[in-house]
Amino acid sequence: MSARSQSAAMEGSGWYNRHSSMQAAGNERAMAYWKDALEKVPVGGENIVIADYGCSQGLNSMKPINAAIDVLRRHVGAERPVEVYHNDLPSNDFGSLFQVIAGEPSSYMAAHGNAFPFAIGRSYFEPILPPASVHAAWNSWTIQWMSKKAADAPDHVFGGMSGVAEVRAAVAGQQAADWGDFLNLRSRELRPGGRLLSIFPACTPERRGWEYLGGELWEAVLDIHADGLIELHETHRVTIPTGVRSLADVRAPFRDSGRFAGLEIEHAEVLDGPDMFWEDLQRTGDVKYFASGWAGMARGFAGPTIANALDETRDRSAIIDAIFQRYEARLAANPQRHEHYFAVVVLAKVGER
Ligand SMILES: C[S@@+](CC[C@H](N)C(=O)[O-])C[C@H]1O[C@@H](n2cnc3c(N)ncnc32)[C@H](O)[C@@H]1O
């Protein structure tokens, strides 16, 4: 598979931090589960180790990491050193992450002394940290990204929403394999009694979600093709390698014994996703704000991946501008609530307490 069809990190120069209020709102809904899970993590005489798998530009990580430091230090004292490991793909905008850590009032460095941030630019489908080293692992809105693209969809930006059964099956197969691999790798890195909380786009047995935002994005790509800016083969290649999981998918590796790779599920739930821009629109009638809010979010997660899928001879940034301008116009002309779902899964590493 060519590099251009793989996923890229989020839109850089701090764009993701400025356009990820949907993800922040979802994270907020998981905070109570995170704090409950942290309460059960044993801490001995060692440094506290917190991992943030798929941190992007970091702003949305500050609150959960602050909470982890607060809870994990409760029994061992405020002076206990804390190591915080932020992980993302090598192409991630780590500069923006370090600016957040150094300068944001919400940074855990502002609130806590004796905390030491580190960053690891490597896919988490490889080992990230030493075995049995991590007390608490945060992982939000990342594991929908597949380790590799399963297939090109000729008819949608999301393979899981393609009309082609083979494409949908390839996505489901890749998602299942990636979930097992991710759990295996993370389990090795957790200390006995450590906890991992993972949040990711999900579906219910009845509802998939993302039809509105995903469908309009595909139409915007077709608009640009109709304008002669990109070729048909490029529209096929823009397939974004992400997908949703059901609770049954989440539980599948645990089906036989209740355990998988030394992990147990402590909590798994699918929640209704937030649409802050729709709520604002009901209050203000400001359709431009609605459309630019969702277009900014979509560009944040999909812009670089779509750019990579275009022919190398293209002025990629001009085409990405054109796609997302068209997308914003489409959303403004046809505003709808963004129906989507997300899973909150808490896993415990089984072992000596
Ligand atoms: C939507 S952002 C989530 C950022 C943040 N956790 C939040 O809650 O807003 C998804 C991040 O996952 C990262 N990601 C995707 N696949 C990854 C992988 N295999 N290894 C590490 N990071 C990955 C992306 O680069 C991106 O920064």
Side-chain angles (χ1 to χ4, degrees):
M1 179 165 307
S2 71
R4 73 157 72 93
S5 62
Q6 300 293 329
S7 53
M10 305 294 93
E11 185 82 25
S13 307
W15 181 288
Y16 181 81
N17 275 347
R18 295 191 298 278
H19 294 91
S20 52
S21 54
M22 177 193 90
Q23 293 87 338
N27 292 349
E28 187 62 42
R29 305 255 312 268
M31 285 306 287
Y33 299 115
W34 178 234
K35 288 180 188 168
D36 279 357
L38 293 162
E39 295 284 357
K40 298 179 210 150
V41 175
V43 184
E46 68 284 353
N47 289 349
I48 291 169
V49 175
I50 299 167
D52 177 17
Y53 295 107
C55 57
S56 190
Q57 296 154 18
L59 191 59
N60 290 346
S61 301
M62 295 302 118
K63 197 162 183 183
I65 291 173
N66 269 311
I69 297 174
D70 282 337
V71 177
L72 294 174
R73 271 184 172 167
R74 203 167 285 155
H75 300 297
V76 294
E79 294 310 310
R80 178 66 62 89
V82 177
E83 302 168 22
V84 182
Y85 293 91
H86 300 278
N87 155 251
D88 209 290
L89 294 172
S91 55
N92 183 52
D93 173 10
F94 283 104
S96 291
L97 166 76
F98 284 118
Q99 280 171 13
V100 165
I101 292 171
E104 272 296 317
S106 62
S107 169
Y108 56 88
M109 295 300 281
H112 300 276
N114 238 2
F116 301 89
F118 302 83
I120 303 153
R122 186 179 207 199
S123 169
Y124 54 50
F125 289 109
E126 297 175 60
I128 297 296
L129 286 161
S133 61
V134 176
H135 292 90
W138 176 262
N139 167 242
S140 54
W141 302 97
T142 83
I143 193 67
Q144 72 274 15
W145 287 93
M146 292 177 249
S147 59
K148 55 180 184 285
K149 195 199 282 191
D152 280 334
D155 55 349
H156 210 287
V157 289
F158 296 130
M161 300 177 88
S162 169
V164 182
E166 290 79 7
V167 172
R168 294 197 308 276
V171 169
Q174 190 62 55
Q175 287 275 324
D178 285 350
W179 180 232
D181 288 348
F182 183 75
L183 294 176
N184 257 311
L185 284 156
R186 299 297 78 77
S187 176
R188 272 179 228 158
E189 295 170 1
L190 282 170
R191 298 176 65 84
R195 298 295 194 278
L196 163 68
L197 184 143
S198 187
I199 297 175
F200 46 87
C203 57
T204 74
E206 300 80 28
R207 311 288 294 175
R208 188 192 185 283
W210 284 88
E211 286 82 2
Y212 170 56
L213 287 189
E216 293 290 3
L217 185 53
W218 174 243
E219 293 299 329
V221 170
L222 293 182
D223 290 342
I224 297 307
H225 168 56
D227 289 350
L229 293 181
I230 57 174
E231 303 281 340
L232 190 64
H233 69 267
E234 293 172 288
T235 70
H236 296 174
R237 251 183 357 220
V238 300
T239 316
I240 301 162
T242 60
V244 296
R245 291 186 178 83
S246 67
L247 275 187
D249 297 333
V250 169
R251 292 188 188 283
F254 300 83
R255 208 168 24 214
D256 293 339
S257 66
R259 278 190 191 174
F260 178 74
L263 296 170
E264 280 178 0
I265 297 181
E266 285 194 326
H267 182 83
E269 183 177 11
V270 170
L271 299 167
D272 249 331
D275 186 343
M276 323 69 56
F277 299 119
W278 180 252
E279 284 165 24
D280 281 339
L281 179 65
Q282 305 313 299
R283 246 191 356 264
T284 64
D286 186 347
V287 79
K288 193 167 165 16
Y289 180 76
F290 169 84
S292 74
W294 280 130
M297 187 283 293
R299 182 171 181 156
F301 80 79
T305 295
I306 296 178
N308 277 358
L310 301 174
D311 284 350
E312 274 154 25
T313 52
R314 300 278 181 217
D315 179 347
R316 289 174 169 177
S317 68
I319 292 173
I320 294 301
D321 284 347
I323 290 173
F324 283 95
Q325 278 159 17
R326 197 61 78 90
Y327 185 51
E328 189 171 327
R330 283 187 159 275
L331 299 181
N334 175 31
Q336 292 181 29
R337 183 176 177 278
H338 169 37
E339 179 186 354
H340 67 119
Y341 303 90
F342 68 103
V344 179
V345 179
V346 178
L347 296 146
K349 176 74 188 266
V350 181
E352 292 302 307
R353 308 264 149 142

